[in-house]
Structure formats: structure tokens, C-alpha cells
Amino acid sequence: MKETNKLKLDILELLEEDARRTPELLSTMLGAPEQEVREAVEELEKDRVIVKYATVVNESKVNDEKVTALIEVQITPERGRGFEGIAERIYLYPQVKSVFLMSGAYDLLVEVDGLSLKEVASFVSDKLSPIESVLSTKTHFILKKYKQNGIIFEEHEEDRRLMISP
């Protein structure tokens, strides 16, 4: 049983690095039978451990006008449902990419995409702020993404300085 869990964890790690890896390649990389790898991946998908295979896009190279904002939201939890109902109400909006329950000074962190600053501002003022349980919002616009999901977007120069040793 422990070997199966180790295999699944290894598969997850390799797929997080590159979701295009086939069961055949995973099998070779892990030294495990291909059928066992296929079954493990199918089980991970069925159990919703693997929820989706996705491509990370450097949006600045595709659509320079697109705007992404991170919105801190303070809310009053609902009786009997806590944060769940409000989080669900927020994540159902199509412009919302992510919603996270946070510790600290605010309760939810909401990631929103828009075609302009005005569009995101309208979302906050017309849709998010009027929700009865929302106490306050604070919007932060992302100006440039350097790294996301472990992926560096821009090529960087290697440090060419000479090391000085005593």
C-alpha cells in the first residue's frame, strides 16, 4: 500500500512539472510498470486529486491589455455555513479565477481577470462590494508577472560577477 502512495506522489510531482508526460514516459522515469502508472493516474483523476491538466500562458506576450487583480475581502461568516456560501457566490462569477480562504487581516483573496482597470473596478463596485456579508475590499492590480506556479516568465541573465574569496 505504501508503495502505491509513493508511486502516486511521484506521479503527481512529475505531472506538476510537465502535464504532457505520458503514462509510458512516467513509467520509464519511475521504473514502474506502465499499467500500474495508468491505473494510478486514473485513480488520481477519479478521486479528483488531479482536477485538470492546464497550460501556463505568459499573458503579456498574448494580450498586453489584460488586467489581473488580487482583491482582499473581509467578510462576516454566515451562520451555519461560515465562509463557504460567500466564497461560492464569489467564485461563480466568470471573471473570478481563484478564491482562497486566508489567515490574517482579511478572509478571502479573490483573483479577477478583466480587459481593463475599469472593468475590474466595476466588478468590485457592482458585484463584489454589494454582497451583504462583505465588509470591505482592497484591490491590488498586478503590474507584471515574473514567476507563476514555479515558472519564470522572462529569460534572465546569469550572474557573471566574479566570486571573491578571502
Side-chain angles (χ1 to χ4, degrees), residues 76-92:
T76 303
E78 294 175 329
R79 178 173 282 144
R81 289 200 68 199
F83 298 103
E84 301 300 316
I86 301 153
E88 181 179 336
R89 195 165 163 193
I90 293 169
Y91 71 59
L92 288 174

Side-chain angles (χ1 to χ4, degrees), residues 145-162:
K145 290 183 184 178
Y146 294 100
K147 183 176 181 178
Q148 181 180 351
N149 297 334
I151 299 163
I152 298 170
F153 285 117
E154 302 296 325
E155 291 185 32
H156 59 283
E157 285 188 35
E158 294 203 21
D159 191 354
R160 294 191 178 134
R161 296 178 289 180
L162 297 176

Side-chain angles (χ1 to χ4, degrees), residues 123-135:
F123 170 78
V124 173
S125 63
D126 299 343
K127 303 232 183 338
L128 190 57
S129 294
I131 296 174
E132 189 174 312
S133 299
V134 172
L135 301 174

Side-chain angles (χ1 to χ4, degrees):
M1 185 69 175
K2 283 186 177 180
E3 286 183 28
T4 303
N5 289 336
K6 168 95 170 88
L7 176 65
K8 287 180 181 177
L9 291 173
D10 290 343
I11 289 169
L12 290 171
E13 186 177 324
L14 291 171
L15 287 175
E16 279 184 313
E17 289 173 7
D18 185 353
R20 295 177 298 175
R21 290 181 170 147
T22 63
E24 181 181 48
L25 178 58
L26 293 170
S27 161
T28 302
M29 293 174 81
L30 296 170
E34 185 177 339
Q35 186 58 35
E36 192 176 329
V37 170
R38 282 186 191 284
E39 289 170 3
V41 169
E42 287 172 10
E43 192 173 318
L44 289 164
E45 291 170 343
K46 184 179 81 97
D47 293 343
R48 294 197 44 84
V49 174
I50 296 175
V51 181
K52 180 180 179 179
Y53 296 91
T55 301
V56 178
V57 176
N58 184 347
E59 289 289 340
S60 68
K61 298 205 181 238
V62 179
N63 183 356
D64 215 16
E65 302 301 314
K66 187 175 179 184
V67 176
T68 301
L70 301 175
I71 306 166
E72 298 174 8
V73 184
Q74 277 190 308
I75 59 177
T76 303
E78 294 175 329
R79 178 173 282 144
R81 289 200 68 199
F83 298 103
E84 301 300 316
I86 301 153
E88 181 179 336
R89 195 165 163 193
I90 293 169
Y91 71 59
L92 288 174
Y93 286 109
Q95 55 270 67
V96 173
K97 286 179 62 177
S98 305
V99 177
F100 304 99
L101 180 61
M102 304 296 290
S103 65
Y106 55 94
D107 303 303
L108 298 177
L109 181 65
V110 179
E111 183 179 358
V112 174
D113 277 344
L115 297 176
S116 67
L117 295 174
K118 186 176 180 179
E119 185 177 297
V120 172
S122 292
F123 170 78
V124 173
S125 63
D126 299 343
K127 303 232 183 338
L128 190 57
S129 294
I131 296 174
E132 189 174 312
S133 299
V134 172
L135 301 174
S136 69
T137 64
K138 188 184 293 184
T139 303
H140 306 272
F141 289 98
I142 295 177
L143 303 177
K144 181 176 181 176
K145 290 183 184 178
Y146 294 100
K147 183 176 181 178
Q148 181 180 351
N149 297 334
I151 299 163
I152 298 170
F153 285 117
E154 302 296 325
E155 291 185 32
H156 59 283
E157 285 188 35
E158 294 203 21
D159 191 354
R160 294 191 178 134
R161 296 178 289 180
L162 297 176
M163 184 181 287
I164 299 174
S165 57

